[in-house]
Amino acid sequence: MAIAPPDNGTPRDPAHPRNGVDRYFAISARRSTPGREVRGGLATFFTMAYIVVLNPLILGSAADGDGRRLAIPALAAATALVAGVMTILMGVVARFPIALAAGLGVNALVAFEVAPQMTWADAMGLVVIEGVLITVLVLTGLRTAVFRSVPTQLKTAIGVGIGLYLTLIGLVNAGFVRRVPDAANTTVPVGLGINGKILSWPMLVFVLGLLLTIVLVVRRVRGAILIGIIATTVLAIVVEAIAHVGPSVVNGRPNPKGWALNVPTVPETVLAVPDLSLLGRFDVLGSWSRVGWLVPLMFVFTLLITDFFDTMGTMVAIGQEGGMLDEHGTPPRAKEILLVDSVAAAAGGAASVSSNTAYLESAAGVAEGARTGLANLVVGGLFLLAMFLAPLSEIVPFEAASTALVVVGFLMLTGVRAIDWADYEVAIPAFLTMVMMPFTFSISNGIGAGLITYVVIKLARGKARQLHPVLYAVALLFILYFLRGPIEYVVS
């Protein structure tokens, strides 16, 4: 549901585009304006710019089977480069406001489970293989067919679940919600702040920033989310200059009262020459000869399932947020969206930064009014600049960017009213889809639980003919996905 008010009057008549750019991106046709697209692009970038810092920290903190580590400066440059190029490609080809970057979760899997069993080049080669396979599935129409086979109300539930998931990410990243220290000995796994209290300057900054953003959104101020991010960042810089809070980890030891990810200080230098030495350093065959066929096969399968359905959920959520879904719950140019996302997976492996995928944070830009691929040109351009302006990407702390994620989570949650809760055949799968995403911290787990339950209920009610044939195959694949642990144990 869009919240952005008109800027500079109302959008132009869809039947009379301003110029070629307007016609190509369908700016007027989607009731948007160039100003909204630029503002939305800025909001998206600032909510996901953290990946330029976080992805190198994740990949750079692990060693491969030969004890080698990837250089963090090179990882940062390659992360920004691939994110920029693929985001622009999404904007030009799919003309849809979804930005792409290295996928969180997948990068941790590559760093801590796959690379230690082989070389970094071997691990990234498997990412390339997965990307090529999923691209073939798009070109053959299978990925699009699977997407269209999912019932509309379940697609809505996917968007709602992602909203809850996004909210949890924001609250956790800001330190407002934290794991209880003795979680193993209590039934309460998480709690508020530090011992149930707001005891740090960063937490207070987050709360004030969130309240400011909420007020701006309620008052329908243009650029509300972006203003909230910038204002909260400025406040964070002032607080750090006065209180000298420091990072959340000091000399290897946790500092619960410190800033998450970035310490908000004005950098001493702005420009830096990017190190692109990691581009092309992948090997698609090395892993198979080094560790056998099972490990590479299961890794590729896990990546395939994750990328296959995560992006489907994300594009539904973004389309739902912007009111761009058709009567079947499908966004415009769905095949092109899936194709670019598939290519991005392979591109991430080829650049040694792990699989690139569509980002939920794009919802922040859509909430600011972005409706077309023009916003992607802004996001992609800023990512390319980030290669040279790496110090500036370290200004915004999680406590500032997370305000946008929480507000956007609320906006996406409003789609829950479109679900018929009186119809248990769809309501129960929808419920499981929504709750499994935040509770298991996985979009794929939520989609899998919902689809399997939906198929089982339909079969139990004797309504097998109502199911699209593709859903049977998808349900079976998800069953294998959830059972991959026992399967690995039996086969090995």
Side-chain angles (χ1 to χ4, degrees), residues 97-122:
I98 289 185
L100 301 97
L104 291 174
V106 173
N107 54 7
L109 178 66
V110 173
F112 303 113
E113 294 187 31
V114 181
Q117 303 183 54
M118 55 193 75
T119 67
W120 279 112
D122 295 338

Side-chain angles (χ1 to χ4, degrees), residues 205-217 403:
V205 167
F206 167 73
V207 171
L208 294 176
L210 179 59
L211 291 175
L212 171 64
T213 306
I214 290 173
V215 170
L216 294 173
V217 168
T403 59

